Amino acid sequence: MSQAKPISKVAMKVRSVKLREAHKAAAASANNGRGSFCSVLWDQQALHLVTASSSDPSISIHDPLQPSSAPKILRHHRDGVTALAISPNSTCLASGSVDHSVKLYKFPGGEFETNITRFTLPIRALAFNRSGSMLAAAGDDEGIKLINTIDGSIARVLKGHKGPVTGLSFDPNSEYLTSIDSSGTVIYWEIHSGRTLHTLKGIAPDTGSDLSVMNVVSWSPDGETLAVPGLRNDVVMYDRDTAEKLFSLRGDHMQPICFLSWSPNGKYLATSGLDRQVLIWDVDQKQDIDRHKFDDKISCMVWKPIGNALAVIDVMGKYGVWESVVPSSMKSPTADVPNLQSKHSNGLLLFDEEEQGLSASGSLSDLGEDSHGESEPSTRKRLRKQSAYDESLDEDGRDEWNLPPKVESRKKVNHVHKESLNNRNEGLRRITTSASPKMQEAFQPGATPVRDGKRRFLCYNMVGSITTIEHDGYSHIEIDFHDTGRGPRVPSMTDHFGFTMAALNENGSVFANHCKGEKNMSTLMYCPFSTWANNSEWSMRLEGEEVKAVALGTPWVAAITSFNFLRIFTEGGLQKHVLSLDGPVVTASGFKDELAVVSHVSDCLPSNDQMLEFRVFNIANGTQPLRGRLPLTPGSHLTWFGFSEEGQLSSYDSKGVLRVFTSQYGGSWLPLFSASKEKPDENYWVVGLSANKLFCIVCKSPELFPQVMPKPVLTLMNLSFPLASSDLGAEALENEFILNTMHLLQIQKRIEEMAGAGLDTASLDDEAFTMEAAQDRCILRLIASCCNGDKLVRATELVKLLSMEKSVKGAIKLVTALKLPYLAERFNSELEQRLLNENQGTKQTILPTSRAGVGFSKNSTSAETKETSEAVIPLSSPKLTAPLFTKKTKSQEGTKFGIKKTEQNQTPLPDGGKEDRAKNCREGERDRGNVSSTIKSSIAFMKSSDKQEVKRGEEKQVEAHRPSNPFRKSSIR
């Protein structure tokens, strides 16, 4: 303690926290001799501060980044607001008032939603549980209401206090609720059963009739310790299970503590006292590390979820933010925050977008809370190091399955009757089944969840969108194309079937619904956009079999059902194939002749990882060219699946990782985008992707899905590999290098496919040549970075990857200018070896293609073939794996004359002995920092010889038939 006091005294002299007036009524009340209890809280992203006062019926939502701007005011209560609480995902705000009501609002918009409950006396305390599925409310009525946030029902009323309840706190582990009243009595409640576990009478100060002070209790973020204001101007810590006193924090408070708040990581505790002081405690050291004295009592405070700051508000209604609370030399209050989210919690609230994960029955067993029964020992002292399997059993409830307590001795178990053991094993099997993580439900790519009274997307892709809204028992469907000039105008339609999923392409749309009606029918309907025949749309009905996902291609329609059937139809409605899949479907997508289906391989792993596989069917050929496991980020689920504009199979998971399938290494998935490297307050709803860009709609957290109105704006994100931090600082160049390599492989595959089908590949030849030139320029820049960073071995590796002879010459020119003779000598050796291999290849064969490359001249004109037969030199030898393609015939004019012509233009090596070489090295060290002009000249050396070739290539280039980009108004970042 003696070491902390000098620090505190210095802090009191130099630190000042500016407070701004938020509630004038509180100051007026204080001047009249009646104190006001004022509240303050942050949202989870620290973007908003919410304040309220028991003397003011309004709630203020402030922007902490612009404190001088006017706050948003919510005026729905008729009397002062005494309590605030915000849901864990910051989508719902709850307020309690002297007018006896508890109200809910959308957050941060502040739209009023409902009066969720009423009391007969004023409200004093509110608290959400960790999952957000339950709201606890209490006040002068002495009873505590547990409210189901899904449907607003009262799950249970807890009675045991003999005075006004002023504080509530849910255990982060979702087992207990603790409450405190104005007389200082604390009660531990078991949430599942509603029974009282421990009653600690008179352990906190008696606040009496002072309404500006509220007794509070607070659980540590790890759920192991309960903090309570003590009777000796201190804070007392109590054990989680036994309610035994552990230790106390006693420092320079001269009067009782009236409020306390844990830091997000639980390492620090802030306390405010009636002496108008706020102390900051290092809990592990049991010492106060800083303090601040204010002009008035601080009635409420809360740590900033992100950063090192503490928001405070006094009894006069003035609030402020104390920055840099913890010294920079100490651990941050937000470092290593415990992650104790309940295994049954999905964080969904009354106003969240995916409510299907929670029950609306109002029973506690459906609230996402853990169940603990009467058979546990009365001391409830848990074994801290149980296995994860035992913990899952404990959380799912032992009483529910008539299991013995897990602390029961092994000797006693050995004497249990055989029949009871069999029953226990059966119970274990049932619990293992029920406790296993839930398999992902089927979803439709580009669809958004149902929102009552609001329009939603049935489908949103690169072609257009399909929206629906329910009205008077039926739905109204509209189809819009992004490029209105290319797509047909489709009139809106009335949906009497209640379709819940759809797919869209340039030729038509397909719809399906879940089973409904007396016969439990599921309907599939296809609507073509243009046809030569009337009444060309068709529908199929499946009795007792539910459509789970639909997909469209050319020219086919597919539906996957609850029977794990893959049903394939023609555009005219002919039932062509019915296949059985190995597991329940997750999603499906189509592109031309190909249909891709994702299904479950098995149950989820204990780590909650989904076990998925993908299968690609070629409908035209009746084949299955691809099948394999679908990789996901650990702990995530699939959120989008489809094809790129070029037909590359792609996936996107809930952790924000985009993957694209490639034929490399026998078929692998490449991670091409990670949302974690972007803005943390943004979620990306994927629409599609091209060769270089990801098309998505940016949703501000915590929103996961876009709204139909206003019309969402598409954003183009650059694709990039999650590379490690390079010792050269050239991550952008390395990313470009890998992307170019991937694109070259894609072009190679397309050329092989077109050549195999006997089609002209001239346009792809030109595209490949252009990409090779771009790749060589990228490699030259990487070589320059390696020279600057003294990574000469890496530079030697890079020169072997250059595709063109003139690129190697450009590299020699570069390192010669940098006065690196050893490197120039190696580069010249590489060039000589390459030309020697080409000359040997010419003598051995005059075939028009190279073994190491892909033959571009298979479909060339007769004139080109004749010219090629005179002298075709393969660009690369079998030893050099970099060049993926043989250059076009016309681009090889420079090599027809063999090695003699090359030797005339070859850069001479610097001569001299060791002294000359050492001198050159020293000069190179001096000149190495100024190489930008050398790089430019080397690249210009390449481009000068490229221009004529590209110009000749453009004259013959055949424009590829690819859809134009419909998103001309999209923002590009």
Side-chain angles (χ1 to χ4, degrees), residues 425-639:
N425 291 334
E426 178 64 23
L428 282 170
R429 285 192 292 271
R430 294 171 63 189
I431 286 184
T432 303
T433 303
S434 63
S436 61
K438 188 177 181 182
M439 294 169 62
Q440 181 177 355
E441 296 289 337
F443 72 94
Q444 193 69 29
T448 57
V450 177
R451 296 183 177 182
D452 293 337
K454 293 185 178 181
R455 186 173 292 275
R456 74 180 186 100
F457 289 111
L458 288 178
C459 176
Y460 195 114
N461 58 21
M462 300 290 279
V463 176
S465 65
I466 302 177
T467 61
T468 182
I469 185 171
E470 187 175 352
H471 180 70
D472 292 340
Y474 60 89
S475 298
H476 184 74
I477 292 178
E478 293 183 357
I479 301 176
D480 296 304
F481 291 90
H482 301 306
D483 189 351
T484 56
R486 296 182 69 249
R489 185 174 181 83
V490 181
S492 59
M493 56 183 287
T494 300
D495 169 25
H496 296 283
F497 296 99
F499 292 126
T500 56
M501 66 194 78
L504 173 71
N505 65 9
E506 297 87 347
N507 302 320
S509 57
V510 61
F511 302 88
N513 62 3
H514 297 304
C515 289
K516 59 190 302 184
E518 295 179 358
K519 295 185 178 181
N520 204 25
M521 290 280 194
S522 185
T523 302
L524 177 74
M525 185 175 77
Y526 175 72
C527 300
F529 295 143
S530 58
T531 180
W532 57 270
N534 295 326
N535 195 26
S536 55
E537 67 179 42
W538 52 265
S539 63
M540 302 284 174
R541 294 196 175 186
L542 306 173
E543 186 173 349
E545 182 180 358
E546 186 171 86
V547 177
K548 292 291 186 179
V550 293
L552 277 179
T554 307
W556 51 266
V557 178
I560 302 94
T561 70
S562 56
F563 288 178
N564 299 341
F565 287 167
L566 169 58
R567 297 182 176 272
I568 301 174
F569 306 83
T570 63
E571 280 188 324
L574 176 65
Q575 302 189 54
K576 194 173 181 181
H577 300 289
V578 180
L579 308 178
S580 284
L581 300 178
D582 294 341
V585 67
V586 177
T587 192
S589 183
F591 179 81
K592 296 182 179 178
D593 291 337
E594 293 187 334
L595 165 66
V597 179
V598 178
S599 60
H600 288 281
V601 178
S602 64
D603 291 337
C604 300
L605 296 177
S607 58
N608 202 27
D609 291 337
Q610 302 288 326
M611 304 293 289
L612 307 180
E613 77 165 358
F614 71 97
R615 299 171 69 177
V616 177
F617 302 91
N618 190 300
I619 306 301
N621 301 333
T623 60
Q624 180 181 292
L626 292 175
R627 180 173 184 173
R629 287 286 302 277
L630 183 68
L632 294 174
T633 305
S636 69
H637 59 272
L638 188 64
T639 58

Side-chain angles (χ1 to χ4, degrees), residues 25 145 263 630 671:
K145 289 184 180 180
S263 66
L630 183 68

Side-chain angles (χ1 to χ4, degrees), residues 12-34:
M12 289 178 63
K13 292 178 181 178
V14 300
R15 297 215 177 186
S16 62
V17 180
K18 185 178 180 180
L19 301 184
R20 296 177 177 271
E21 189 173 63
H23 301 277
K24 295 182 179 180
S29 176
N31 292 332
N32 293 332
R34 293 179 297 128

Side-chain angles (χ1 to χ4, degrees), residues 599-842:
S599 60
H600 288 281
V601 178
S602 64
D603 291 337
C604 300
L605 296 177
S607 58
N608 202 27
D609 291 337
Q610 302 288 326
M611 304 293 289
L612 307 180
E613 77 165 358
F614 71 97
R615 299 171 69 177
V616 177
F617 302 91
N618 190 300
I619 306 301
N621 301 333
T623 60
Q624 180 181 292
L626 292 175
R627 180 173 184 173
R629 287 286 302 277
L630 183 68
L632 294 174
T633 305
S636 69
H637 59 272
L638 188 64
T639 58
W640 181 85
F641 185 76
F643 292 89
S644 69
E645 286 185 331
E646 294 76 25
Q648 292 293 115
L649 197 61
S650 312
S651 70
Y652 188 79
D653 63 34
S654 58
K655 293 295 180 67
V657 177
L658 174 75
R659 294 175 176 86
V660 174
F661 185 82
T662 176
S663 58
Q664 286 180 278
Y665 297 102
S668 302
W669 289 85
L670 306 181
L672 285 182
F673 177 82
S674 177
S676 62
K677 296 183 178 294
E678 306 298 328
K679 296 182 179 179
D681 61 338
E682 292 181 347
N683 294 318
Y684 303 99
W685 192 71
V686 175
V687 175
L689 69 152
S690 62
N692 300 301
K693 300 289 182 180
L694 171 67
F695 292 77
C696 62
I697 297 172
V698 178
C699 302
K700 291 294 182 181
S701 296
E703 295 291 328
L704 299 175
F705 303 94
Q707 297 183 0
V708 176
M709 297 300 294
K711 190 174 182 179
V713 177
L714 276 163
T715 301
L716 275 66
M717 309 292 290
N718 291 321
L719 299 181
S720 62
F721 286 87
L723 300 179
S725 297
S726 172
D727 52 3
L728 296 175
E731 290 88 351
L733 284 175
E734 291 175 333
N735 182 73
E736 180 185 351
F737 168 74
I738 301 177
L739 282 174
N740 288 342
T741 303
M742 184 187 72
H743 293 155
L744 281 169
L745 287 171
Q746 293 174 1
I747 296 172
Q748 178 186 13
K749 182 180 178 182
R750 286 157 56 195
I751 289 175
E752 290 174 347
E753 291 174 351
M754 292 183 67
L759 301 175
D760 183 24
T761 62
S763 61
L764 287 177
D765 293 349
D766 292 337
E767 184 180 349
F769 181 72
T770 303
M771 180 60 67
E772 278 188 340
Q775 179 74 317
D776 279 9
R777 289 192 289 272
C778 176
I779 292 174
L780 279 176
R781 293 189 181 96
L782 279 171
I783 291 174
S785 297
C786 291
C787 294
N788 283 331
D790 287 328
K791 304 299 180 184
L792 304 186
V793 175
R794 198 177 307 174
T796 306
E797 293 171 344
L798 284 167
V799 78
K800 295 179 181 180
L801 300 178
L802 291 169
S803 300
M804 304 177 187
E805 176 188 322
K806 56 181 173 291
S807 302
V808 181
K809 292 180 180 179
I812 295 172
K813 182 178 179 181
L814 172 66
V815 297
T816 302
L818 292 175
K819 298 182 179 180
L820 296 171
Y822 293 131
L823 203 57
E825 185 177 352
R826 286 185 174 275
F827 284 12
N828 271 287
S829 299
E830 174 63 29
L831 179 61
E832 291 173 356
Q833 184 63 40
R834 183 174 297 197
L835 293 173
L836 180 62
N837 291 337
E838 289 177 355
N839 189 43
Q840 292 176 352
T842 304

